[in-house]
Amino acid sequence: MLRYIYGNALSEYPVLQDTMHRDRASQFAERLKWDVHVDDKGWEQDEYDAMNPLYVIWENRDGTHGGSMRFLPTTEQTMVNDHFSELLNGVDIRSPFIWECTRFVLGQGANSRVAAAMMLAGGELMRAFALTHLLGVFDPRMVRIYSMIGASPEVLGSAGEGRDKISVGLWPFRPEDRIKVLKRAGLSSEISEHWFARSFGHAVSEVRKAA
């Protein structure tokens, strides 16, 4: 199931927190060999985890992490603006209608339905907070996943070649994409709405009215 958890509440879910950061270390430090920091607990964290981001986390039946993403509004500090602006010719992207999505990670054994469920969650956030786009940095391995899910981005800029290629992309909100991703995730609109309301205390439509 999906959980939406702000950073300042993440410690209330110690198993999810621990296994999420360990899976991030496994994916980014060990498999992809990115230059990321792993602490003595085996957690991968960076400065953006300290900015009270909103995490979308797939919780496995045993309470462990199955997959996750991290969201921050582009009106604040973001990874794209701080570290990848050269891919956009030095132009910063800042808008109350665009949030950055980073640290997309799948836990061990996660399947395409988990990936689709997380993309669905991104769409639910867009609906709730009246966002027009999500912004993110991605590498070639993610292109196949996005295409398979049915949620490919508009590429704004790229650098590098082959497996080392890095791109910045924008994901728009389109109602027809939600239908495709729901089907790919094997979920109903009702259960997605239920998970959202359980986390925020309100349905998607009610959060949007209050925002």
Side-chain angles (χ1 to χ4, degrees), residues 32-90:
L32 296 179
K33 307 299 182 183
W34 288 7
D35 183 18
V36 296
H37 174 70
V38 178
D39 65 18
D40 55 7
K41 293 185 292 186
W43 289 12
E44 187 278 312
Q45 295 186 92
D46 64 17
E47 64 267 36
Y48 303 97
D49 290 303
M51 296 177 64
N52 195 32
L54 176 60
Y55 298 95
V56 169
I57 304 175
W58 179 268
E59 181 179 4
N60 294 321
R61 290 185 177 181
D62 62 358
T64 60
H65 168 266
S68 56
M69 300 186 295
R70 179 181 67 190
F71 294 87
L72 281 167
T74 59
T75 51
E76 300 179 10
Q77 248 185 295
T78 62
M79 185 177 290
V80 167
N81 290 335
D82 291 347
H83 300 287
F84 295 96
S85 63
E86 71 275 8
L87 303 185
L88 303 172
N89 295 317

Side-chain angles (χ1 to χ4, degrees), residues 4 99 121-131 173 193 196 200 202-211:
Y4 302 78
W99 284 9
E124 302 296 55
L125 291 176
M126 295 175 80
R127 292 173 64 212
F129 293 95
L131 306 179
F173 174 73
E193 288 268 5
F196 187 95
F200 286 98
H202 297 284
V204 170
S205 59
E206 293 171 337
V207 171
R208 182 167 185 169
K209 289 176 182 177

Side-chain angles (χ1 to χ4, degrees), residues 82-171:
D82 291 347
H83 300 287
F84 295 96
S85 63
E86 71 275 8
L87 303 185
L88 303 172
N89 295 317
V91 176
D92 283 357
I93 295 181
R94 300 187 188 277
S95 168
F97 304 109
I98 301 175
W99 284 9
E100 182 185 64
C101 173
T102 55
R103 288 304 193 259
F104 183 105
V105 60
L106 293 175
Q108 293 185 4
N111 57 32
S112 62
R113 287 192 170 185
V114 174
M118 290 194 294
M119 295 302 290
L120 170 64
E124 302 296 55
L125 291 176
M126 295 175 80
R127 292 173 64 212
F129 293 95
L131 306 179
T132 60
H133 295 84
L134 294 176
L135 173 71
V137 178
F138 59 94
D139 55 47
R141 73 192 169 88
M142 294 302 302
V143 174
R144 179 181 60 84
I145 294 174
Y146 296 145
S147 177
M148 178 178 59
I149 293 170
S152 296
E154 172 193 353
V155 178
L156 302 181
S158 301
E161 299 291 339
R163 296 180 62 181
D164 295 326
K165 186 176 182 180
I166 294 291
S167 302
V168 173
L170 275 177
W171 285 259

